[in-house]
Structures are given as structure tokens and as C-alpha cells.
Amino acid sequence: MAYPVTLIPGDGIGPEITRAMVEVLEATGVEFIWDQQEAGIDALTEFGTPLPEATLESVRKTGVGIKGPTTTPVGTGFRSVNVALRLKLDLYANVRPARSMVGVKSRFSDIDLVIVRENTEDLYAGIEFERGKPATLEVIEHLSRAAGKTISPEAGISIKPFTPAACERIVRFAFEYSRKNKRRKVTAVHKANIMKYTDGLYLEIARAVAQDYPDIEFEDRIVDNMCMQLVQKPELYDVLVLPNLYGDIISDLTAGLIGGLGVAPGANMGDQAALFEAIHGSAPKYAGQDKVNPTALILTGALMLRHLGELAAAEKVETAVADVIREGKTVTYDLAPQIPVGTQAMAQAIAERVQSL
Ligand code: NAD
């Protein structure tokens, strides 16, 4: 059976790492019907929008997409292709595993964490008011009255909405993920001591949802303490579930714990569709140079194989990546600064290893 999958190469380094990922995934023998679609800066030039409707339609139809990074155009009023994709397709859970690999230089060697980040609310919801605009002054006047506190008319304002429904579904997702993937503990991360009506609500709901999963340990941590704990004793943690903004920041921290963005995969999951993408961006300064590390998107491809139920193929890809990186002979500049190979050569080595497994 061939899987229909929407393929969005993106821009910057996106097209070259996407080519690399496709080569490795096809080496597993799993068949795909790639529906290639555009998004990002190049789409903006060609279609007048960085996110054409046809791209969204394709993901709605296939239910599964894999995406290279896209540059956020500055000064167009368009916030981000990724944020728009997550909101329009209701991809409410961002899953970012962080696992140490031998051969990737890092201060730690035993990291095995999964970040589950809420994707649709919080300060990321895009409800913002620009300093000095009439609507902003109106909001300030209203808020000052309602909160009984003076807000300077000079202020810019960002709104942080949390709903019980969104809090519940992300925490439930984290527990279901943990059960399915045999993880032992979920830690809810928050700042409920200060943000009582948003993070406080989130924590209250997390505690209630945890009651339905007595087989999985549950605890909570305040986000600042969590940061310190993660760099001091990461081995104490397993699956972390976080609101949008903390999830964004902490998942870069955990990517740092395993050696950086070049090896960190990710997935955006909803009830109707799943869109897989690495954590890193479009690194425009390296575009078209056949230089950057394809590992993050290749491991993202392995996450997609798991989602499709192709567990043996996913394991082959993960083993092949780990082997090639451990051997250190055909790896990119970030892993072997002395004798690096290019993006496609590394992908080819991984694809050959997949075929030999
Ligand atoms: P970036 O991740 O593109 O690059 C930061 C640095 O990380 C690079 O200069 C490079 O040194 C390193 N790096 C990134 N990917 C690498 C790889 N595969 N191999 C080796 N090294 C790698 O972050 P940025 O410079 O902050 O963002 C550039 C653009 O990407 C921005 O427009 C940003 O909005 C966008 N972005 C897109 C996504 C996405 O599409 N999912 C995610 C983050 C940022």
C-alpha cells in the first residue's frame, strides 16, 4: 500500500533536506504518493501568499504531511506559515522528542525526553495590539478600568488566552502518548503561582486529567525551576506537557541538551491531520550549499513512519541515522568540523545503511 503524503519542501535549506529525507524514507521500501505543495518565501513570490490554499487543502485530504522549514517574511503582516498551519488545521499538539545520540557532541549523554507543547493558545494566539494604535488605547482604557490598575498608554499589549477545552486536550494527549509509547511519567509545566487564571487553570485541569491515568506518574513543576532541573538532573524527567510559549522555549533547551537543532525532530498533531517538521528553521545563509545536517528532518520522517504504523521501517531509519553518526565518517560540518561531507552524501550513507538492515 502506498501512503498519500503532502510534501512541503519549504524554502531556504528546506528543499535540500527534504530531498535527503525522501531518499532515506524511500530506502525503507515503504511506498509514498508524494503530493508536493508550496509554502514560504518562494510561494509568496509565486502565489502572492506564503501559505496557498492548495497546500492546506492537500493536508486536509491526505491527513499527513511532512514539511521543510519556511522563512517568516518580515514586514508583510504575515505572522508565520507554521503558526497559520497549526491553527488552520487545528494541529494542537507539538511533539518534540529529545534523545541523546553517540557521536553528537553534547554536555549530556543520557537524555531521553519528550516535549508535548500546546499549539493553539497562549501568547502565541496572535492577539496583539500595537503601541499607540487607536484600538490599543481602547483596550488599555478598558483593561485599566476592569483590572483596577493603570496601564501606560505607551504600552503594547499581548493577550494570553487559555481555555479549559484546550488545556484538557493537550494534557490528555500527553497521557495518551505516554501510554502508547510506554513512557512512565508526565510533568505539567506552568507558572501557576503568578499567572493564576491562565496557568492556574491549566494546572487545575492537568491534575484532574491525571486522575484518569493512574498507571502513569504525574507531577508538576514551575517553569523557571524546570529550566534549572533540566540542566542539572534531566534524568528525572520523561514526558513534559507545556502551554505554547514555555513549550517553545523549553523544547529549544532540550534540543540543546542533545547537541542542537540539527538533530531535533518534531510533529504537529491534531485529531484530523498530522504535519511533521524538524524544530530548526530555514537557515537562509546556508541555502543551496549542500552543507546542513539532514538528520532532524530524517528523524522527523521516522516519526511520520511511526504515525503511519510502519514501526519496523521507523526503527530502521533511527538505527541507520544512529550508526552513521556514531561512525562519524559521512556526517555534515556540525558533527565533523574536520572532514565534513555534504547534505546529500550524508543522506545517501543513511539510505544505504537502511537498505542493509
Ligand atoms: P535556524 O534554525 O534557521 O538557524 C539557526 C542556526 O542553526 C543556523 O544558522 C545554523 O547554524 C543552525 N542550523 C539550523 N538548522 C541546521 C541544520 N539542519 N544543520 C546544521 N545547522 C543548522 O533559525 P533562525 O536563523 O532563527 O531562523 C531562520 C528562519 O527560519 C526565520 O525566518 C524563522 O522564522 C524561520 N523558522 C522556521 C521554522 C519552521 O519552518 N519550522 C522554525 C524556526 C524558524
Side-chain angles (χ1 to χ4, degrees):
M1 171 192 166
Y3 296 98
V5 173
T6 304
L7 184 69
I8 308 170
D11 59 48
I13 57 169
E16 48 205 288
I17 57 173
T18 301
R19 247 191 329 275
M21 176 275 298
V22 166
E23 180 178 351
V24 172
L25 258 57
E26 289 185 344
T28 64
V30 174
E31 288 177 21
F32 301 92
I33 303 164
W34 302 111
D35 180 16
Q36 187 164 327
Q37 297 289 339
E38 304 301 324
I41 285 275
D42 302 342
L44 181 65
T45 319
E46 201 175 327
F47 305 102
T49 167
L51 181 56
E53 192 51 39
T55 303
L56 283 167
E57 236 354 90
S58 171
V59 185
R60 283 191 191 110
K61 211 162 84 198
T62 59
V64 187
I66 187 159
K67 175 183 167 295
T70 45
T71 306
T72 303
V74 179
T76 59
F78 201 91
R79 192 169 290 272
S80 150
V81 166
N82 298 305
V83 174
L85 273 165
R86 290 168 197 165
L87 293 180
K88 288 192 182 235
L89 298 168
D90 200 24
L91 304 171
Y92 62 87
N94 186 197
V95 182
R96 296 178 165 186
R99 188 182 284 173
S100 301
M101 268 191 288
V102 178
V104 180
K105 228 171 121 196
S106 157
R107 288 174 186 273
F108 297 88
S109 57
D110 54 354
I111 302 293
D112 184 7
L113 294 161
V114 179
I115 302 295
V116 176
R117 167 192 175 193
E118 205 285 326
N119 246 350
T120 64
E121 296 197 326
D122 202 346
L123 288 164
Y124 257 78
I127 311 169
E128 294 206 289
F129 295 90
E130 191 179 341
R131 180 179 74 90
K133 291 279 156 97
T136 313
L137 296 173
E138 229 176 275
V139 169
I140 287 177
E141 205 186 302
H142 178 74
L143 287 179
S144 299
R145 226 177 313 118
K149 289 186 180 157
T150 311
I151 301 172
S152 165
E154 286 295 304
I157 305 274
S158 298
I159 304 285
K160 172 171 162 143
F162 274 40
T163 60
C167 294
E168 176 169 350
R169 72 176 174 174
I170 195 64
V171 176
R172 213 167 269 291
F173 180 97
F175 275 103
E176 290 292 331
Y177 177 94
S178 300
R179 252 188 198 163
K180 200 166 148 207
N181 293 280
K182 305 194 171 32
R183 312 289 306 207
R184 67 191 155 83
K185 177 162 83 172
V186 170
T187 306
V189 184
H190 60 86
K191 188 79 182 171
N193 51 332
I194 304 294
M195 320 274 306
K196 294 192 191 305
Y197 304 128
T198 46
D199 293 35
L201 173 69
Y202 170 78
L203 179 57
E204 182 190 321
I205 289 171
R207 284 182 172 146
V209 170
Q211 304 286 321
D212 294 342
Y213 299 87
D215 48 321
I216 294 163
E217 197 186 329
F218 174 74
E219 63 182 10
D220 71 276
R221 288 284 179 277
I222 294 175
V223 62
D224 37 355
N225 179 27
M226 187 79 250
C227 291
M228 189 180 71
Q229 300 259 328
L230 281 173
V231 293
Q232 284 193 326
K233 25 192 174 178
E235 70 283 358
L236 294 186
Y237 297 94
D238 189 12
V239 175
L240 310 184
V241 60
L242 312 93
N244 209 337
L245 180 62
Y246 308 146
D248 184 43
I249 297 165
I250 290 215
S251 59
D252 265 35
L253 189 158
T254 53
L257 295 178
I258 60 163
L261 291 174
V263 293
N268 293 296
M269 320 281 293
D271 294 333
Q272 307 300 328
L275 187 61
F276 294 80
E277 64 177 340
I279 297 182
H280 66 72
S282 58
K285 71 177 178 191
Y286 292 129
Q289 293 176 28
D290 188 39
K291 186 173 164 114
V292 295
N293 191 344
T295 298
L297 195 61
I298 292 172
L299 289 177
T300 298
L303 291 182
M304 183 176 80
L305 286 169
R306 272 183 204 287
H307 173 74
L308 293 170
E310 295 287 350
L311 304 188
E315 257 164 46
K316 275 188 189 176
V317 171
E318 285 160 358
T319 305
V321 166
D323 286 355
V324 166
I325 290 181
R326 190 179 52 247
E327 287 160 15
K329 285 187 228 131
T330 34
V331 292
T332 46
Y333 77 100
D334 51 321
L335 299 179
Q338 313 302 331
I339 34 150
V341 301
T343 309
Q344 302 310 318
M346 182 170 177
Q348 201 180 333
I350 296 169
E352 280 165 11
R353 184 58 58 98
V354 164
Q355 278 163 335
S356 75
L357 288 169

